[in-house]
Amino acid sequence: MANTVSFEKTFSIGGDLTVNRLGYGAMRITGEGIWGPPKNHNEAIRVLKRAVELGVNFIDTADSYGPNISEELIAEALHPYSADLVIGTKGGLLRTGPNQWPINAHPDHLKEALEGSLKRLKLERIDLYQLHRIDPAVPAEETFAFLQKAQLEGKIKHIGLSEVGVEDIIKAQEFFEVVSVQNMYSVDNRKWEDVLQFCKNHNIAFIPWYPLSGGNMRAMEVLQRIADAKQATVQQIALSWLLHRANNILLIPGTSSVAHLEENLKATSIELTENDMQELDSIPQV
Ligand SMILES: NC(=O)c1ccc[n+]([C@@H]2O[C@H](COP(=O)([O-])OP(=O)(O)OC[C@H]3O[C@@H](n4cnc5c(N)ncnc54)[C@H](OP(=O)(O)O)[C@@H]3O)[C@@H](O)[C@H]2O)c1
């Protein structure tokens, strides 16, 4: 029997919020272009409830998903929240229309964004508040100082960043402890490998967005071959590779359907061997 690669089932965000490594990304429960309400409100509510039923205790969202819709649906489906549920939300983007995401990480905007998220999520404090983007038009120090202040005021427990390089993380750490980094990453796109390794070495959660390449994965031949051998789907293999890749990776695959949610969550029971990992590791990158 070939050697299987072991992996941890949980990770502690900031050392004190222990979550299952396979969570849920709540961007896809909105309308077309991540704009407006979902086509099927009841299915969106069912997805959220089923996720928690199946053991998900880390949900990723943002004020900009909808905007506001994703956070409102989370509260509608799950409030009052179970004690172990960690909701990570984000601020720093505006929404001006479908598929439009202008950046605004000015403290004035972030103040409003944070207050809005607290209200919509019906929380006194956000467990994980992630800066959606560093704003090239605002000195990063001003944005970081705002987040530091909000944390000191007790509105945020832990702070994370998104789409950042190692230098950005180091700079932010002068203001607060960076507990998570959310960057685009998947089996066929490892552009941020250096950031993953930095996070791994510093026990920072690395949260890949687009873990399924937004539903359009490349290198389907390799994924399909391994999936067939394990009676799994290519999506499950892509998620399983991430679970095996590094124990500080937290997964937030997005879906609008209960069927896909259930399929994705089964990725935790797939075992990959060293040979499988080598084959997947050698998938060509975009
Ligand atoms: N920080 C950032 O800048 C940033 C940017 C984008 C996203 N995010 C976060 O990351 C999360 C994940 O990213 P994502 O949702 O964009 O992409 P993703 O998880 O890579 O892919 C989601 C897409 O794949 C499809 N899908 C999911 N499971 C499937 C399955 N088992 N079989 C076939 N298709 C499947 C979904 O369609 P169905 O709805 O039909 O299942 C959806 O279109 C988001 O939900 C959001 O929370 C963060």
Side-chain angles (χ1 to χ4, degrees):
M1 173 82 182
N3 285 344
T4 56
V5 179
S6 64
F7 63 92
E8 300 290 335
K9 293 280 166 78
T10 62
F11 180 83
S12 288
I13 302 171
D16 59 4
L17 296 177
T18 301
V19 295
N20 293 320
R21 288 184 55 214
L22 192 33
Y24 172 66
M27 187 181 85
R28 304 276 173 178
I29 48 168
T30 59
E32 189 90 25
I34 321 300
W35 184 258
K39 272 200 196 107
N40 187 337
H41 178 93
N42 291 344
E43 180 76 351
I45 296 291
R46 271 196 296 273
V47 166
L48 289 162
K49 286 186 188 284
R50 187 76 180 128
V52 170
E53 249 172 47
L54 291 174
V56 166
N57 56 7
F58 177 55
I59 296 180
D60 178 75
T61 183
D63 64 340
S64 48
Y65 299 163
N68 304 339
I69 305 283
S70 174
E71 292 181 332
E72 285 166 2
L73 286 170
I74 289 170
E76 181 185 336
L78 303 175
H79 189 272
Y81 306 115
S82 55
D84 69 338
L85 180 67
V86 174
I87 300 172
T89 192
K90 313 183 201 76
L93 297 181
L94 300 173
R95 295 307 304 278
T96 45
N99 294 316
Q100 294 172 17
W101 309 86
I103 300 173
N104 187 344
H106 190 279
D108 292 347
H109 169 68
L110 282 179
K111 186 172 187 299
E112 214 176 287
L114 175 58
E115 292 302 335
S117 290
L118 284 164
K119 203 164 150 208
R120 283 184 294 277
L121 289 167
K122 302 187 176 167
L123 289 169
E124 303 276 304
R125 184 179 66 168
I126 307 278
D127 275 340
L128 176 65
Y129 197 72
Q130 303 157 99
L131 177 64
H132 219 142
R133 289 290 183 277
I134 291 176
D135 187 341
V138 175
E141 291 80 359
E142 288 182 22
T143 300
F144 295 155
F146 168 80
L147 294 170
Q148 178 189 46
K149 184 165 161 273
Q151 187 174 46
L152 288 171
E153 287 169 357
K155 292 182 178 167
I156 300 173
K157 182 171 173 66
H158 289 304
I159 303 173
L161 303 174
S162 175
E163 281 302 280
V164 290
V166 169
E167 293 305 312
D168 300 317
I169 303 169
I170 292 169
K171 195 196 273 188
Q173 279 170 330
E174 291 171 22
F175 293 80
F176 46 79
E177 184 190 352
V178 176
V179 304
S180 69
V181 170
Q182 187 171 141
N183 282 10
M184 187 195 252
Y185 185 87
S186 56
V187 68
D188 55 355
N189 181 356
R190 279 174 255 157
K191 183 183 83 159
W192 290 114
E193 189 63 38
D194 63 327
V195 175
L196 167 61
Q197 294 308 323
F198 178 87
C199 289
K200 185 177 161 185
N201 294 339
H202 293 82
N203 207 31
I204 296 170
F206 183 85
I207 309 172
W209 63 268
Y210 250 40
L212 299 169
S213 294
N216 295 304
M217 273 180 307
R218 293 154 292 257
M220 288 297 274
E221 220 176 278
V222 178
L223 288 164
Q224 193 68 61
R225 191 168 60 242
I226 296 178
D228 289 346
K230 297 185 189 290
Q231 294 171 318
T233 65
V234 290
Q235 287 79 12
Q236 289 170 331
I237 298 301
L239 295 174
S240 177
W241 176 82
L242 285 162
L243 288 173
H244 285 77
R245 180 78 178 161
N247 283 320
N248 64 319
I249 291 182
L250 291 183
L251 293 188
I252 51 162
T255 180
S256 55
S257 92
V258 171
H260 283 166
L261 173 85
E262 290 177 346
E263 176 186 325
N264 295 345
L265 291 176
K266 287 189 189 136
T268 40
S269 49
I270 293 172
E271 293 188 338
L272 295 178
T273 63
E274 282 168 10
N275 282 351
D276 296 329
M277 285 304 283
Q278 270 168 22
E279 229 184 310
L280 292 164
D281 285 350
S282 62
I283 278 178
Q285 301 297 297
V286 266

